[in-house]
Amino acid sequence: MSENLNPFAIAQAQFDESAAVLQLDPDMHAFLRQPMREFHFTIPVHMDDGSVKSFQGFRVQYNDARGPAKGGVRFHPDETIDTVRALSAWMTWKTAVADIPLGGAKGGVICNPREMSQNELQRLSRGYMRNISRFVGLTQDVPAPDVHTNPQIMAWMLDEYEVLSGHREPGVITGKPLSLGGSAGRTPATAMGGVVTIRETAKLLGMELNGATCAIQGYGNVGSYAHQLAHDLFGIKVVAVSDEFGGIYSADGLDPVVVAQHLRATGKVGGCPGSEEISNSALLELDVAILVPAAIENQITGQNADHIKAQIIAELANGPTTPDADEILNAKGVYIIPDFLCNAGGVTVSYFEMVQNAYQYYWDEALVQSRLDQKITTAFHAVHNMAQARQVPNRVAAYLVAVSRVAEAVRLRGWV
Ligand code: NAD
């Protein structure tokens, strides 16, 4: 039978497995396996050619028991409500595992930003904020950038919110440009958190990171910084990287500066000097110590999991591994750093951004990084210790830590 690759079905299956291990009360189980609130809306946008195009937008507030909901907004042609639901669930578990006082949310618009002008994107971003403005805010729900949204888009959304509310409230959105109250260190934060988890894993496994081989799928914000940080901080030898057009390989290791220059010049990693071509599927199956999926969902499945040779999989992407693949990889003894732990660095620094906005006092990058390192290291060991204590895979352990914390807040509030 073929696997169900619907991301929300996968998120629910993962949650169900953990709820069973936790022996979660059935009423709590039923409450936590669905989003608390969803907003579906149509955004009319005046296009440059004079036509009006209607875009479908979503905001899902999965759970806000531990604090205001928090999560990015994606602009993507293949966006679906189930993808947004899944990502909002993972945000809930992510903020809980990182132990920051926030809940989980996610948003999305079905659109192709590559085919839109900057003016059209601005009108879409403002239209998105107009639709959700009554339901977001410092104490309700705080959006952020995600796939194909960026600091400029956050700036337009912030401005629209402040025009509507009539006052300045920078903490209503994170991932802003620095000059509008963004945090130092936000852009590399997700990758930084990921390499901290790789460092801690290597210590546990007794793996020498200097010279250890690594392959990275996806070379956007997360993948490109993962390459640079892994190379610069630990001397990890990244032998392959890829983007949606294909991958590149060099047995001697790829220099992040050279790849970044080539990407800037050509728009893709393919053809980078000193490298040979490799397909995305072959990259995943390379004989490397560390595999970093940093692109999209459902890349490691029941079809290819048996061919994976890496000892560590650091899931910087959300949902890169399916439940069928998990079963195969766990049986092989691969050390998986599960997504909502591995990529929690981004939301952690978003939380730091909210704190700095509230105080109107800003930290330098070194302070942001040291506090990020501390938070992620603590979260990593909470999950590892849970896995050891309960003899469960890391993903289940991450759920056990996160779900217990969210369930406790729900219980204390008297909701269930
Ligand atoms: P991005 O849009 O900047 O980059 C995505 C990269 O993946 C691009 O290089 C793109 O070409 C590549 N890609 C797309 N489809 C692919 C495919 N089929 N095969 C191989 N490569 C493909 O996005 P990002 O911000 O780097 O996010 C990457 C992943 O990390 C996503 O799963 C995202 O949800 C997750 N994530 C991002 C953040 C963040 O702070 N940006 C935080 C947490 C999780």
Side-chain angles (χ1 to χ4, degrees):
M1 209 174 73
S2 67
E3 279 184 271
N4 182 351
L5 297 183
N6 176 317
F8 190 48
I10 291 176
Q12 287 187 314
Q14 293 169 343
F15 169 69
D16 290 343
E17 185 184 356
S18 315
V21 178
L22 268 180
Q23 298 183 310
L24 201 64
D25 165 70
D27 296 342
M28 182 70 80
H29 184 172
F31 177 68
L32 290 180
R33 91 190 285 283
Q34 298 290 343
M36 289 176 64
R37 276 181 295 280
E38 290 188 2
F39 305 97
H40 298 221
F41 41 89
T42 305
I43 312 167
V45 173
H46 289 255
M47 306 301 278
D48 293 347
D49 66 4
S51 65
V52 175
K53 202 167 166 186
S54 291
F55 293 92
Q56 192 171 11
F58 310 109
R59 185 74 184 165
V60 177
Q61 295 169 349
Y62 194 88
N63 190 288
D64 59 3
R66 284 174 41 86
K70 182 90 192 82
V73 181
R74 297 159 43 118
F75 284 181
H76 201 280
D78 302 329
E79 196 61 276
T80 69
I81 183 61
D82 274 341
T83 311
V84 181
R85 285 178 180 136
L87 290 160
S88 69
W90 288 324
M91 282 306 297
T92 304
W93 313 133
K94 192 182 305 191
T95 52
V97 90
D99 203 14
I100 52 183
L102 297 169
K106 207 77 180 189
V109 178
I110 306 172
C111 66
N112 191 345
R114 288 185 202 273
E115 291 171 358
M116 296 173 72
S117 71
Q118 285 299 296
N119 282 331
E120 289 167 345
L121 275 175
Q122 175 168 180
R123 290 191 283 268
L124 177 65
S125 305
R126 290 183 181 276
Y128 183 83
M129 181 49 88
R130 275 197 301 283
N131 274 277
I132 59 167
S133 64
R134 278 162 295 159
F135 315 111
V136 298
L138 254 182
T139 55
Q140 288 167 278
D141 177 7
V142 179
D146 204 286
V147 174
H148 295 322
T149 55
N150 55 34
Q152 174 61 77
I153 289 175
M154 297 306 107
W156 291 325
M157 288 188 183
L158 170 71
D159 186 65
E160 189 67 21
Y161 182 87
E162 292 184 336
V163 166
L164 291 168
S165 69
H167 62 264
R168 292 281 173 261
E169 195 179 320
V172 72
I173 212 153
T174 60
K176 299 178 291 290
L178 280 179
S179 51
L180 289 181
S183 175
R186 172 62 184 90
T187 313
T190 303
M192 186 70 193
V195 299
V196 166
T197 64
I198 291 173
R199 179 194 71 203
E200 294 304 303
T201 305
K203 279 187 210 159
L204 291 172
L205 302 184
M207 179 191 285
E208 171 59 49
L209 281 183
N210 193 8
T213 52
C214 174
I216 302 174
Q217 186 197 41
Y219 213 73
N221 174 41
V222 175
S224 61
Y225 275 109
H227 183 183
Q228 192 195 316
L229 293 168
H231 175 273
D232 294 357
L233 298 181
F234 304 124
I236 292 173
K237 186 158 80 169
V238 177
V239 294
V241 302
S242 70
D243 57 26
E244 67 209 74
F245 310 109
I248 52 173
Y249 173 84
S250 163
D252 297 332
L254 296 159
D255 183 333
V257 176
V258 175
V259 180
Q261 266 166 1
H262 179 77
L263 179 63
R264 263 198 306 277
T266 66
K268 46 176 93 163
V269 297
C272 182
S275 72
E276 50 193 271
E277 254 179 60
I278 187 171
S279 69
N280 261 298
S281 50
L283 176 146
L284 296 173
E285 298 174 13
L286 280 174
D287 189 4
V288 287
I290 306 158
L291 176 63
V292 182
I296 52 168
E297 306 90 52
N298 296 331
Q299 294 304 294
I300 305 174
T301 66
Q303 300 295 312
N304 61 0
D306 207 27
H307 306 297
I308 303 275
K309 298 175 193 73
Q311 291 152 265
I312 300 173
I313 299 180
E315 294 182 340
L316 273 169
N318 282 307
T321 310
T322 66
D324 282 10
D326 261 342
E327 212 173 303
I328 297 167
L329 296 168
N330 288 332
K332 281 164 60 134
V334 177
Y335 195 100
I336 300 177
I337 311 171
D339 50 4
F340 66 81
L341 169 66
C342 189
N343 66 32
V347 73
T348 302
V349 174
S350 274
Y351 160 61
F352 294 162
E353 185 174 331
M354 291 170 69
V355 172
Q356 294 169 79
N357 292 153
Y359 278 91
Q360 300 210 45
Y361 184 76
Y362 290 86
W363 310 344
D364 63 20
E365 187 156 353
L367 182 58
V368 171
Q369 282 187 359
S370 72
R371 289 189 167 155
L372 171 63
D373 194 326
Q374 197 182 7
K375 272 279 181 207
I376 297 294
T377 302
T378 305
F380 177 89
H381 288 285
V383 170
H384 179 75
N385 292 344
M386 179 67 86
Q388 296 291 301
R390 303 292 289 257
Q391 287 296 297
V392 290
N394 291 335
R395 192 183 315 283
V396 177
Y399 269 95
L400 297 188
V401 172
V403 172
S404 317
R405 289 176 180 167
V406 176
E408 185 186 352
V410 167
R411 208 175 294 115
L412 286 168
R413 286 177 184 279
W415 291 352
V416 175

